[in-house]
Amino acid sequence: MSSPNPGGEREKLISKLPAHLQQALKVRAAQLQTDMQDAVAAGIQAWRSCTDQLPTVNTAGAASFGTFLPEGLYDAFKEDCRDRGVSYIQGLAQSVALWLVEHPAGLDVRPRHTRRIIVCNQKGGVGKTAVSAGLAEALAEAFPEVTSDAEALEKALDAAAEGLNVLLVDYDAQGHLSHQLGLKAIPAGEESLITHMLHREQTRQSLLDLTVVIEGDRFGGRLRILPAAFDAFLLDSGLTMFRGPRHAALERALAPIEEHFDVIVIDSPPSLGLAMDAALYYGRQRDDERPGRSGLLIPVEAEDTSAQAYGMLIQQTDSLARDYDIVIEQIGLVVNKYDSRRGYIATSSLGKWNSLGTPPVLAVVPDLKEQREAVRKQRPLLDYAPDCDQSHQMRKIARAVKSA
């Protein structure tokens, strides 16, 4: 609907827009010091003049959105939507996405703090490693130069601005992340993340020197991994005897290399011990850090035991937050390995996860063969099968993380 504003020069547009596009529009307009209504108007004008067949934007769960347009533009926009056979919501979503890709953020808006995403769940087998790797790959990914407005829109929807510099940390003693990417754990006795946490004064190498570039044209050298350490299973006992602040041991080790990365993704162990306390503390909201930029990403499955494990993790998180008077945010949930053919348990559990509202379900990753094939071949999923549904869901998580 539209209604004239008091000045008569603009008309009010009331429609719906996906939450991630609303957030991205708000942030980008603020970065570029542009009025949001001018940004939407420019996007609609670009959409109207576009002659390419544009890809469909997923508008499921779109929320109410209102703005003001120059007089007459809304009626012309509605007529174009009818001519193209798309809904007003779809047309608006495509318009905003086009504006985003045509108006990238400047280079001076790099956040003050490196973002820290802790991928965690006390329950094993829920896919923490797959989600950690997929998210990191999607954040680091960049696409070839676009040749049309349709490709530009596809690029915007996949959060394919300049790929970020990302560090993956294999913080699990089992070392599945390292193995899946073709790397061996650092042998016992050699410098590693563990020695930097427990014996920093005895270390000689920078942790940066221990990181390994993950190959892939889509990552352009921006994606690195800090491999697991063979003696990481001793970390909890080592922290018990640690003389310094145990909860800050991981931060103490990683702080010197944070400046080299936009995002650090931690693949956590399935435990509730002291090592997990250190990871949770590392993901806390720091002073003068904007809410939602760092925190916990929690993979779960659509079954009952995941809900029980989630409850245990939140109890630990709340206890740590009270003890140290800190804020540890839950960025969102990822329902992993979902298959509706498993019947009522799967579908009803997914409904329960969605009904939580806070934290939101950021993606539902299907149980498909591509992830298992990538693991077998020891290749990154987004390099092995960039167009599979699992890869697109990892990009969806990355969009949510980037827009915070």
Side-chain angles (χ1 to χ4, degrees):
M1 62 173 287
S2 66
S3 58
N5 74 337
E9 298 177 353
R10 285 184 176 266
E11 297 174 320
K12 186 172 183 179
L13 175 151
I14 299 177
S15 185
K16 291 185 177 181
L17 190 65
H20 74 272
L21 284 179
Q22 291 196 36
Q23 179 67 16
L25 172 65
K26 180 179 179 181
V27 171
R28 188 67 52 79
Q31 290 172 343
L32 301 180
Q33 298 183 340
T34 298
D35 194 297
M36 282 180 59
Q37 64 183 15
D38 292 335
V40 175
I44 290 176
Q45 294 283 23
W47 179 86
R48 295 187 64 217
S49 63
C50 175
T51 58
D52 293 328
Q53 180 67 38
L54 297 175
T56 300
V57 179
N58 182 1
T59 58
S64 179
F65 176 80
T67 188
F68 288 92
L69 299 178
E71 190 172 16
L73 179 58
Y74 188 54
D75 288 336
F77 169 65
K78 289 191 294 183
E79 183 176 347
D80 284 348
C81 286
R82 287 192 293 268
D83 291 343
R84 299 185 187 190
V86 300
S87 68
Y88 304 149
I89 296 174
Q90 180 65 213
L92 178 62
Q94 291 178 342
S95 299
V96 170
L98 275 177
W99 184 85
L100 288 169
V101 78
E102 291 177 357
H103 296 80
L107 298 178
D108 57 346
V109 296
R110 179 176 176 134
R112 178 173 178 179
H113 294 291
T114 295
R115 302 178 68 171
R116 300 153 324 279
I117 310 298
I118 315 301
V119 182
C120 56
N121 191 325
Q122 181 269 342
K123 187 177 185 297
V126 297
K128 292 185 292 294
T129 296
V131 171
S132 297
L135 169 62
E137 293 162 22
L139 290 170
E141 185 180 43
F143 292 82
E145 290 297 317
V146 299
T147 58
S148 68
D149 285 338
E151 290 184 11
L153 180 54
E154 198 76 72
K155 179 178 174 181
L157 297 176
D158 279 338
E162 289 292 326
L164 302 180
N165 292 312
V166 183
L167 175 64
L168 255 176
V169 177
D170 193 344
Y171 192 54
D172 187 350
Q174 299 174 88
H176 292 318
L177 176 62
S178 300
H179 175 73
Q180 290 179 14
L181 293 172
L183 300 170
K184 294 182 178 179
I186 297 174
E190 295 187 12
E191 288 194 23
S192 66
L193 175 62
I194 307 307
T195 61
H196 278 253
M197 290 178 67
L198 299 178
H199 311 293
R200 174 77 182 280
E201 65 283 348
Q202 301 174 21
T203 58
R204 297 179 181 178
Q205 284 182 285
S206 166
L207 273 184
L208 189 63
D209 295 334
L210 302 179
T211 64
V212 179
V213 173
I214 296 177
E215 299 297 335
D217 292 340
R218 305 176 80 87
F219 313 132
R222 292 177 296 275
L223 181 58
R224 287 180 169 266
I225 180 174
L226 180 57
F230 183 79
D231 50 3
F233 68 93
L234 298 173
L235 182 55
D236 269 358
S237 60
L239 287 171
T240 302
M241 299 179 286
F242 188 59
R243 293 183 178 180
R246 295 177 299 192
H247 61 281
L250 181 59
E251 181 169 342
R252 177 174 177 261
L254 292 176
I257 65 172
E258 284 185 355
E259 64 179 328
H260 298 282
F261 301 99
D262 299 299
V263 185
I264 295 179
V265 179
I266 308 289
D267 181 26
S268 301
S271 74
L272 297 175
L274 295 175
M276 195 63 230
D277 276 350
L280 295 174
Y281 184 83
Y282 184 59
R284 76 192 185 283
Q285 179 185 324
R286 295 181 180 175
D287 294 340
D288 71 3
E289 183 176 25
R290 195 167 73 237
R293 294 188 62 79
S294 297
L296 313 184
L297 181 66
I298 307 171
V300 297
E301 290 185 273
E303 43 81 38
D304 294 339
T305 57
S306 268
Q308 297 167 4
Y310 171 73
M312 296 172 67
L313 174 65
I314 299 312
Q315 286 180 3
Q316 180 182 11
T317 301
D318 290 346
S319 176
L320 191 71
R322 288 193 302 269
D323 289 346
Y324 294 102
D325 192 23
I326 57 177
V327 175
I328 304 174
E329 293 193 79
Q330 299 177 55
I331 295 174
L333 305 172
V334 177
V335 180
N336 196 34
K337 298 189 288 186
Y338 181 73
D339 187 346
S340 61
R341 294 174 300 178
R342 292 174 183 156
Y344 172 73
I345 295 296
T347 57
S348 62
S349 295
L350 176 59
K352 289 180 180 179
W353 288 123
N354 280 318
S355 68
L356 284 179
T358 304
V361 172
L362 301 184
V364 179
V365 182
D367 187 9
L368 300 175
K369 62 182 177 63
E370 285 84 0
Q371 176 65 49
R372 292 187 289 274
E373 291 174 350
V375 169
R376 172 68 66 85
K377 293 179 178 292
Q378 296 186 318
R379 288 178 58 185
L381 172 66
L382 272 68
D383 180 61
Y384 172 73
D387 296 321
C388 75
D389 195 14
Q390 290 167 321
S391 292
H392 287 309
Q393 291 302 312
M394 296 303 175
R395 295 185 185 107
K396 185 176 180 181
I397 302 168
R399 285 200 295 271
V401 169
K402 280 186 173 183
S403 66

